[in-house]
Amino acid sequence: MDFISKIHTIEKTTANKVLKILISLIILALTSKIKIFLPFSPVPITGQTFGIFLISLLLGQEAIISVFLFIMLGIFGIPLFATNNTLTIFSPTYGYIIGFFISSFLIVNLKEHFNKKLILLLIFCNFLIYVTGALYLFTFFSFVFHKNLTFMEILYMGVLPFIPGDLLKDFMVVSFLNIQRKVFWRDNAGYKG
């Protein structure tokens, strides 16, 4: 391979990575706008975990970069998060956002080990998001409102209402991935049925 061919290959690879990151950011922005606010909690039900888990399973390292950029752009005031809080770090939901990044990193790096049991990996990542979110929620209420919430109050406000929807989203992500794999395998096998 000559020098010019190597440069073209690098340019094509870089353009492909940038495109994946941009598409991921669009997916994350769109899924964050799917939201339902609960009257008893500052934490809305959103589509964000669906988007984060999906891109993390499909795109690999570019997904981690996308989630990081998504968080940074949101912190700097671009209205990407479900709560549209420009002071996101001082929002009761920031712990969940931290959990998004940790989850994306874990999914990208552990998905091969959980190949046949991806649903377990996604459920574990939801659990991590609940832990980071609940801890930050507790800290936020303690320091900002000087209100010490009990463990059960934190669970009712920041964990329990989200479990059914998150399980549904996890199964939707795995189902989407299975459909995508079957279509990809069929197309690559030359099957035209």
Side-chain angles (χ1 to χ4, degrees):
M1 183 181 278
D2 65 8
F3 182 72
I4 300 295
S5 296
K6 287 181 182 177
I7 298 246
H8 286 296
T9 303
I10 291 170
E11 287 174 352
K12 189 175 179 182
T13 304
T14 303
N16 190 22
K17 287 181 179 182
V18 169
L19 183 62
K20 286 180 180 179
I21 291 168
L22 290 175
I23 290 170
S24 296
L25 283 170
I26 292 168
I27 290 169
L28 293 175
L30 291 174
T31 56
S32 74
K33 297 307 172 192
I34 300 168
K35 56 190 168 194
I36 301 168
F37 288 96
L38 304 172
F40 54 86
S41 175
V43 184
I45 296 171
T46 72
Q48 290 174 115
T49 52
F50 176 84
I52 288 165
F53 290 2
L54 183 66
I55 66 167
S56 297
L57 286 170
L58 290 175
L59 301 180
Q61 297 298 324
E62 286 85 1
I64 298 171
I65 295 167
S66 298
V67 173
F68 179 77
L69 287 174
F70 176 75
I71 292 169
M72 288 297 106
L73 292 169
I75 288 172
F76 288 116
I78 296 175
L80 295 175
F81 301 138
T83 56
N84 286 337
N85 188 343
T86 54
L87 299 173
T88 305
I89 295 172
F90 303 107
S91 161
T93 60
Y94 187 66
Y96 299 94
I97 294 167
I98 293 168
F100 295 163
F101 181 75
I102 295 168
S103 292
S104 179
F105 181 83
L106 288 175
I107 291 169
V108 167
N109 289 292
L110 296 177
K111 68 182 175 184
E112 298 304 322
H113 301 293
F114 286 84
N115 194 25
K116 299 290 183 188
K117 304 222 188 245
L118 283 175
I119 193 71
L120 295 178
L121 178 60
L122 300 186
I123 290 170
F124 176 73
C125 287
N126 271 321
F127 173 75
L128 287 176
I129 292 169
Y130 297 149
V131 170
T132 58
L135 286 173
Y136 198 89
L137 198 58
F138 176 80
T139 305
F140 180 84
F141 273 91
S142 294
F143 288 104
V144 175
F145 294 119
H146 304 290
K147 182 177 180 183
N148 288 326
L149 298 176
T150 66
F151 178 73
M152 288 310 295
E153 286 174 320
I154 291 291
L155 282 181
Y156 287 133
M157 187 184 298
V159 176
L160 296 178
F162 307 97
I163 292 173
D166 286 335
L167 286 173
L168 177 64
K169 287 183 277 185
D170 293 346
F171 280 104
M172 288 171 58
V173 167
V174 171
S175 297
F176 181 86
L177 192 65
N178 288 336
I179 291 167
Q180 183 264 344
R181 283 178 177 167
K182 287 177 185 173
V183 169
F184 180 77
W185 180 82
R186 184 176 63 202
D187 288 348
N188 285 334
Y191 177 72
K192 302 294 181 191

